[in-house]
Amino acid sequence: MGTISKTMINQENLTYAADTLRALAHPIRLAIINFIDKKKRVNVNKIYNALKLEQSITSQHLKILRTVGLVETTRDGKFIYYTVNYSKIEGVIKPLDGFFGSKNSL
């Protein structure tokens, strides 16, 4: 059995980490993040048209990604543009590299 880390386990941090991983685990949300990554900055209309999703479904998934901080938004007039929060994704992936090796790179 492994040794216990001296880091205190904080229930709030564990819940937040689980929510973040759950947000990343959904295939539609992964596709959305991948699309935003390729385009660098994109509005919701381009996302749902390119991925052939309904606007309401796309918005629901984007809300989840925003809530856990995986995407960021900026407003330009009446449009909201999405970008990937690379530091947040890296913060999720790096700790997992210790468990799964270094396959997980951005």
Side-chain angles (χ1 to χ4, degrees), residues 44-97:
V44 69
N45 297 338
K46 290 189 180 192
I47 296 170
Y48 72 76
N49 284 324
L51 299 178
K52 299 180 182 2
L53 299 169
E54 291 181 32
Q55 187 272 335
S56 61
I57 290 172
T58 306
S59 293
Q60 289 172 5
H61 286 289
L62 284 167
K63 181 181 182 210
I64 293 167
L65 293 171
R66 277 192 325 268
T67 299
V68 297
L70 294 171
V71 296
E72 297 174 328
T73 61
T74 55
R75 182 176 286 278
D76 186 3
K78 66 179 182 172
F79 294 103
I80 296 176
Y81 289 90
Y82 291 86
T83 55
V84 173
N85 182 346
Y86 293 102
S87 62
K88 176 70 174 192
I89 291 177
E90 184 177 340
V92 171
I93 292 173
K94 273 195 173 193
L96 296 176
D97 281 344

Side-chain angles (χ1 to χ4, degrees), residues 29-42 47 70-71 82-86 89 105-106:
R29 290 189 287 269
L30 283 174
I32 289 171
I33 288 174
N34 187 44
F35 182 75
I36 297 170
D37 175 52
K38 287 179 182 175
K39 299 296 181 183
K40 302 303 178 209
R41 181 177 182 256
V42 63
I47 296 170
L70 294 171
V71 296
Y82 291 86
T83 55
V84 173
N85 182 346
Y86 293 102
I89 291 177
S105 60
L106 293 175

Side-chain angles (χ1 to χ4, degrees), residues 2-21:
T3 60
I4 297 175
S5 172
K6 291 182 181 183
T7 304
M8 292 293 293
I9 296 177
N10 177 307
Q11 184 61 43
E12 186 176 321
N13 289 346
L14 284 176
T15 300
Y16 186 72
D19 290 344
T20 303
L21 291 172

